[in-house]
Amino acid sequence: MSAIWLAMAALALYIFGWLWYSRYLANHIYRLDPNFITPAHRYRDGVDFVPTNKWILWGHHFTSVAGAAPIIGPAIAIYWGWGPALAWVALGTVFAAGVHDFGALVLSNRHRGQSIGTMANRIIGRRAKILFLFIILILILMVNAVFAWAIANLFINNPSAVLPVILQIPVAIWIGYKVLRRGGNLLLPSIIALALMYGTAVVTTYVEWLQIDLVRWFGGEGASTFVFGLEATPASFLIWILALLGYVYVASTLPVWKLLQPRDYINAQQLIVGLAILYLGLLLTQPQVTAPIYNNAAETSWFPLLFITIACGAISGFHGLVASGTSSKQLDREPDARTVGYLGALGEGVLALIAIIAVATVFASQSEFLDSYSSFAKAGDVGIGNFVEGASALASGVGIPSEIAATIVALIIVCFAATTLDSAVRLLRYIIGELGNEYRVHHLTRRHIGTSLAIGMTALLALVPDGGQGVGSGGYLLWPLFGTSNQLLAGITLMLISLWLFRQGRNPLPTLVPMIFLLAMTIWALTQQLVLDWSGVGEADAQWLLFALGAIILGFAVWILLEAIRLFYHREELEALRDPADETAEETNDSAENGRPTGKGQQTEQTDKGQS
């Protein structure tokens, strides 16, 4: 069967989601109001709260949530066959991810740009808020530590991609000052920046002395170095991780218009170009699907692990953190939330779709696929490599040499992973500040103190413990918790949105149904991991650190769920949790929804525009 039919079926569902379902959510569920004064205007500070064009903000949001996860998850999950993976990606994107990302952005917008953890205080109560912040803190720390190692690994294995990545930083800063600060069209400068990066990637692919290859500079693999007596490869990992942490410290403390917005807009153009090349290659080559629709030889059951393995590309709790952490503080108009939140989720779904197709078509025969994916553990080892090979084959269909295609694919993955790392450190700073406010340690709310703590905790987790993959891989010690804790976070976020809709007298079913499904699958999967994989009861050896943290996270999640169920049955308690400051904004908005005058809100908006 030609892979083009898989793409057409999923893309048709995405078009339905954008044209009809997202509009239904905007008009009837979230009830977006063009007169609502967004936090970006109300609290404008030029650093974090900055009103932003919706397409620039879409670029930031999309690239922050994408990273490498919508590639890695599907490339592993195809172990069960392309059928389950494709169904979860297509349906999950339209009816779960889009609803979740869109809803988290609207919820934060209606609560003064607060993060999802802080909003829990006024929706589900203070006890649940503290438990929720703990889950978020663990999740972001894991992301920071693992992504730092993963980017270093990509730099070491793809030295031709390093210079184009470095070149992006000064170009993005220049665009920030010349275009965003002074006003102007960002499209042409970003295309020029993209041409410079890709042109550099072509040159560095063939010119060895332009490749920043630390291992080779140190004398080759196995050579001793002056860096704490480490061999060349471990020393290279250490240097790259420290350099990355230094970079994200600066990047996450700069005003968003100086680096974050222009860099992410360039990255969005990168992904659009990359996806266009891959889908054009798919159209021209029309490769045959050699992977089975369902792998009957799979020893590990797909239910419920499929819904944990594919997170980004179907639904991911990290998206809610980005939507409520950075994106909501840059939302210019509330109707822009549909483009930023829902279309951002669709963009990631398109990326996950081509990842499935690339892997499903890369093998010459089904037997080769079964040899490569002989076990779930092996799928985790070969997944990303199979994607790169398959994507290079699709790109070669439009005349791009495989060597250059491999460099460009590595360049895109690194840029997206670096964007995620930058945003995650900024989010961790917000969480630290919120904990500082909660416990009256107000020094923690200062930008550089919070960022220093965020970088310090990330460095400790990455560099101190042994994660089993050499220097800097300490984050992998906790990484087995990521899938379930990330999906628990998504389920709890949908729970908060459902409670808010219920309190507002609106229909919560579009968020309630995916919430129930996701929490059921995740709690089931985490219970299996605790009992069979980490407790020592099953065939695997006991892993007490994972068991203890997993049990704590599961206990906290169940506690939060019980609190939410109680509030559904005691609406008066739910009403009592309203924040008076949010109440005023919501009343103003509800007046507009019901056709009543909104003089106060309109006057504030006009004043704000005048000040801008």
Side-chain angles (χ1 to χ4, degrees):
M1 180 178 64
S2 173
I4 197 73
W5 296 111
L6 304 186
M8 289 176 65
L11 291 174
L13 185 59
Y14 292 164
I15 292 171
F16 158 81
W18 172 245
L19 294 180
W20 184 82
Y21 194 56
S22 70
R23 187 172 284 119
Y24 166 75
L25 294 172
N27 295 336
H28 300 286
I29 305 301
Y30 299 137
R31 300 182 188 176
L32 305 184
D33 177 15
N35 293 321
F36 190 88
I37 314 302
T38 66
H41 286 286
R42 192 179 298 275
Y43 307 111
R44 185 171 188 164
D45 61 3
V47 178
D48 295 318
F49 291 87
V50 179
T52 304
N53 175 277
K54 68 178 179 181
W55 294 113
I56 297 174
L57 182 55
W58 175 84
H60 156 70
H61 182 81
F62 182 25
T63 56
S64 294
V65 301
I71 295 171
I72 296 173
I76 295 173
I78 203 172
Y79 162 75
W80 293 295
W82 61 261
L86 182 64
W88 175 228
V89 164
L91 295 172
T93 295
V94 173
F95 297 108
V99 175
H100 169 273
D101 297 11
F102 188 5
L105 186 53
V106 171
L107 189 64
S108 179
N109 185 60
R110 295 292 181 90
H111 290 79
R112 295 174 287 165
Q114 294 174 338
S115 76
I116 205 75
T118 302
M119 285 186 286
N121 190 44
R122 290 298 180 180
I123 297 175
I124 202 170
R126 184 176 180 275
R127 287 176 300 183
K129 169 191 170 183
I130 300 301
L131 303 179
F132 198 20
L133 286 176
F134 173 81
I135 296 174
I136 293 171
L137 188 68
I138 294 295
L139 180 71
I140 297 178
L141 268 178
M142 284 191 287
V143 169
N144 289 348
V146 169
F147 271 56
W149 185 91
I151 296 170
N153 185 50
L154 284 166
F155 278 166
I156 290 169
N157 289 293
N158 300 275
S160 57
V162 178
L163 187 59
V165 171
I166 294 175
L167 178 65
Q168 184 190 43
I169 299 170
V171 171
I173 292 174
W174 178 83
I175 291 174
Y177 273 102
K178 293 293 184 179
V179 180
L180 290 181
R181 189 63 169 173
R182 298 182 179 180
N185 193 321
L186 189 58
L187 180 61
L188 181 60
S190 67
I191 292 174
I192 294 172
L194 197 60
L196 283 173
M197 292 172 63
Y198 280 12
T200 305
V202 172
V203 174
T204 55
T205 299
Y206 297 109
V207 181
E208 188 174 310
W209 64 270
L210 286 175
Q211 298 175 4
I212 302 178
D213 190 346
L214 295 186
V215 175
R216 178 167 55 85
W217 292 358
F218 280 133
E221 193 170 346
S224 60
T225 71
F226 60 87
V227 184
F228 302 111
L230 296 171
E231 293 183 352
T233 301
S236 299
F237 269 105
L238 179 62
I239 290 172
W240 278 127
I241 288 172
L242 292 177
L244 285 165
L245 293 179
Y247 159 74
V248 295
Y249 179 93
V250 175
S252 61
T253 53
L254 285 175
V256 292
W257 60 267
K258 283 187 178 180
L259 177 59
L260 181 143
Q261 289 178 351
R263 181 205 59 204
D264 291 354
Y265 192 71
I266 294 170
N267 285 341
Q269 305 303 319
Q270 267 206 90
L271 189 58
I272 290 171
V273 170
L275 287 173
I277 290 171
L278 294 178
Y279 277 97
L280 182 60
L282 173 66
L283 182 64
L284 294 176
T285 60
Q286 297 199 18
Q288 295 297 303
V289 176
T290 52
I293 186 171
Y294 183 76
N295 183 8
N296 291 307
E299 297 178 354
T300 305
S301 174
W302 66 274
F303 202 83
L305 282 182
L306 171 68
F307 309 105
I308 309 305
T309 305
I310 300 180
C312 296
I315 183 172
S316 167
F318 185 74
H319 295 197
L321 296 181
V322 174
S324 65
T326 57
S327 299
S328 65
K329 296 175 176 62
Q330 302 172 60
L331 197 66
D332 184 29
R333 299 172 63 252
E334 189 170 76
D336 295 348
R338 176 174 171 248
T339 300
V340 176
Y342 199 93
L343 192 60
L346 287 181
E348 198 171 52
V350 170
L351 177 57
L353 171 62
I354 200 65
I356 292 171
I357 291 173
V359 178
T361 58
V362 74
F363 299 99
S365 65
Q366 189 172 123
S367 61
E368 281 191 17
F369 170 88
L370 294 174
D371 287 340
S372 181
Y373 285 88
S374 57
S375 69
F376 185 65
K378 191 175 179 183
D381 295 332
V382 303
I384 188 66
N386 287 336
F387 165 76
V388 172
E389 186 179 346
S392 299
L394 291 175
S396 65
V398 295
I400 299 176
S402 58
E403 298 88 350
I404 294 175
T407 298
I408 291 176
V409 168
L411 171 62
I412 292 173
I413 293 174
V414 168
C415 286
F416 272 58
T419 296
T420 302
L421 182 61
D422 171 4
S423 295
V425 169
R426 194 179 287 261
L427 291 171
L428 188 54
R429 189 236 300 173
Y430 295 157
I431 298 298
I432 290 169
E434 288 164 4
L435 289 172
N437 281 326
E438 180 69 30
Y439 294 104
R440 302 184 185 279
V441 185
H442 297 299
H443 289 294
L444 296 180
T445 62
R446 295 182 179 177
R447 195 192 326 168
H448 290 284
I449 291 176
T451 305
S452 297
L453 280 173
I455 293 293
M457 288 190 293
T458 300
L460 286 174
L461 179 56
L463 298 173
V464 174
D466 180 9
Q469 301 192 51
V471 172
S473 65
Y476 283 95
L477 192 66
L478 302 180
W479 194 244
L481 279 169
F482 175 79
T484 46
S485 58
N486 183 46
Q487 298 303 71
L488 279 175
L489 177 60
I492 295 171
T493 300
L494 285 170
M495 178 196 303
L496 294 178
I497 300 169
S498 300
L499 280 168
W500 176 71
L501 290 172
F502 179 68
R503 188 169 70 187
Q504 296 296 105
R506 302 174 193 171
N507 178 17
L509 282 179
T511 57
L512 203 57
V513 171
M515 179 210 86
I516 292 170
F517 175 80
L518 193 61
L519 285 178
M521 293 300 100
T522 307
I523 291 173
W524 183 358
L526 182 53
T527 303
Q528 279 188 342
Q529 287 179 313
L530 287 171
V531 176
L532 300 179
D533 298 336
W534 302 332
S535 68
V537 172
E539 296 179 1
D541 294 333
Q543 299 183 58
W544 296 116
L545 178 60
L546 290 174
F547 179 81
L549 283 175
I552 291 171
I553 290 172
L554 178 60
F556 284 178
V558 171
W559 189 344
I560 294 170
L561 178 59
L562 293 175
E563 291 273 3
I565 293 172
R566 184 178 60 82
L567 288 172
F568 267 114
Y569 286 98
H570 296 84
R571 185 161 184 165
E572 69 282 356
E573 293 186 33
L574 184 61
E575 293 286 346
L577 290 170
R578 285 183 186 266
D579 188 327
D582 297 325
E583 180 75 21
T584 302
E586 287 174 7
E587 283 179 352
T588 300
N589 191 64
D590 288 338
S591 297
E593 290 163 4
N594 295 323
R596 296 192 298 271
T598 57
K600 182 179 178 181
Q602 290 172 348
Q603 182 181 5
T604 306
E605 182 186 33
Q606 291 166 0
T607 303
D608 183 82
K609 287 182 177 178
Q611 292 172 347
S612 300

